[in-house]
Amino acid sequence: MASPPPKQTMKERILETADKLFYLQGIRAVGVDTIAAEIGISKRTLYNHFPSKDALIAAYLQHRFVQPRPSDKPPAEQILATFDSLERRFSAKDFRGCPFVNAVAELGPDDEDRTVRNIAVAFKESRRVSFRDLLRQLGVTDAEALATQLTLLVDGSIAQDLVRNDPAMARAAKEAARVLLVNAGIKVASPSADKKRGG
């Protein structure tokens, strides 16, 4: 018989609640009072775990900073699979865009010590570096530039889906990525081959 999942600590409960509310309703719209009330704790208890709302915002973004799982798929397939993953995410009812871009847009000049911006830049750069490393495995000459272009396709598809509410934006970005890869001399499967594999 499987053992029950470990009970969440109070810190984890606070972070999970903040994550949900910040992402769905906006960082500015949600105060610590709302988060504490949602959990059924006092503000003092919340502040015992996170000394300020800024600290909670930083923890929320770090919590969202998830590295992709290692894959044994060929590098080109891994790159294109990014867009399949985006399409699935766009189809979810709770999709509200990129939490890092949202945070930078919401907090702007109020992010005086640039904590939020620095976390957002680190996240975006981690995706670009992941693309670059895969492109280097494929022997691409200017992997840095192509990685940046692929990252722009990711962010552009997110923005387009957010405005249009159309998950097909990820598919369009995937086809643009396929063209970039082919132009860089990389052999990639045709879109019809993707469909046969369920991609």
Side-chain angles (χ1 to χ4, degrees):
M1 190 171 162
S3 57
K7 194 173 178 189
Q8 277 188 313
T9 65
M10 180 53 69
K11 188 168 189 171
E12 289 167 340
R13 283 180 64 201
I14 293 167
L15 187 53
E16 188 176 278
T17 303
D19 181 286
K20 179 181 72 175
L21 295 174
F22 283 161
Y23 184 67
L24 293 178
Q25 297 178 25
I27 291 170
R28 282 188 181 281
V30 175
V32 290
D33 293 9
T34 305
I35 294 165
E38 179 85 5
I39 303 166
I41 59 172
S42 67
K43 268 204 313 186
R44 176 176 285 186
T45 300
L46 187 149
Y47 283 133
N48 284 340
H49 295 281
F50 297 95
S52 65
K53 184 177 179 183
D54 286 347
L56 185 53
I57 292 165
Y60 151 66
L61 291 172
Q62 293 287 6
H63 182 249
R64 288 258 168 179
F65 197 145
V66 179
Q67 296 288 356
R69 290 192 200 113
S71 171
D72 54 6
K73 285 182 180 175
E77 278 188 38
Q78 289 184 52
I79 291 168
L80 294 175
T82 302
F83 298 94
D84 297 330
S85 174
L86 284 172
E87 186 171 0
R88 286 190 295 275
R89 188 70 191 97
F90 294 172
S91 298
K93 287 182 181 162
D94 66 347
F95 183 70
R96 292 279 185 275
C98 171
F100 302 95
V101 171
N102 294 350
V104 171
E106 274 198 80
L107 299 175
D110 293 338
D111 181 28
E112 289 174 15
D113 62 358
R114 298 180 62 86
T115 300
V116 167
R117 189 173 297 274
N118 289 339
I119 296 169
V121 167
F123 174 77
K124 296 295 183 183
E125 183 62 5
S126 74
R127 175 175 272 150
R128 194 190 73 79
V129 166
S130 173
F131 281 148
R132 182 200 66 195
D133 292 347
L134 291 167
L135 292 166
R136 283 180 174 167
Q137 288 176 44
L138 291 162
V140 172
T141 309
D142 194 352
E144 292 282 355
L146 184 48
T148 299
Q149 292 164 3
L150 290 167
T151 304
L152 291 171
L153 286 175
V154 168
D155 287 333
S157 69
I158 292 169
Q160 284 292 316
D161 174 71
L162 199 58
V163 171
R164 297 171 180 268
N165 191 24
D166 183 0
M169 295 297 105
R171 224 169 309 140
K174 180 180 181 179
E175 292 319 304
R178 194 188 303 275
V179 170
L180 288 174
L181 294 176
V182 169
N183 287 347
I186 299 163
K187 285 184 106 174
V188 293
S190 67
S192 57
D194 276 356
K195 281 175 189 162
K196 282 177 190 167
R197 279 199 306 266

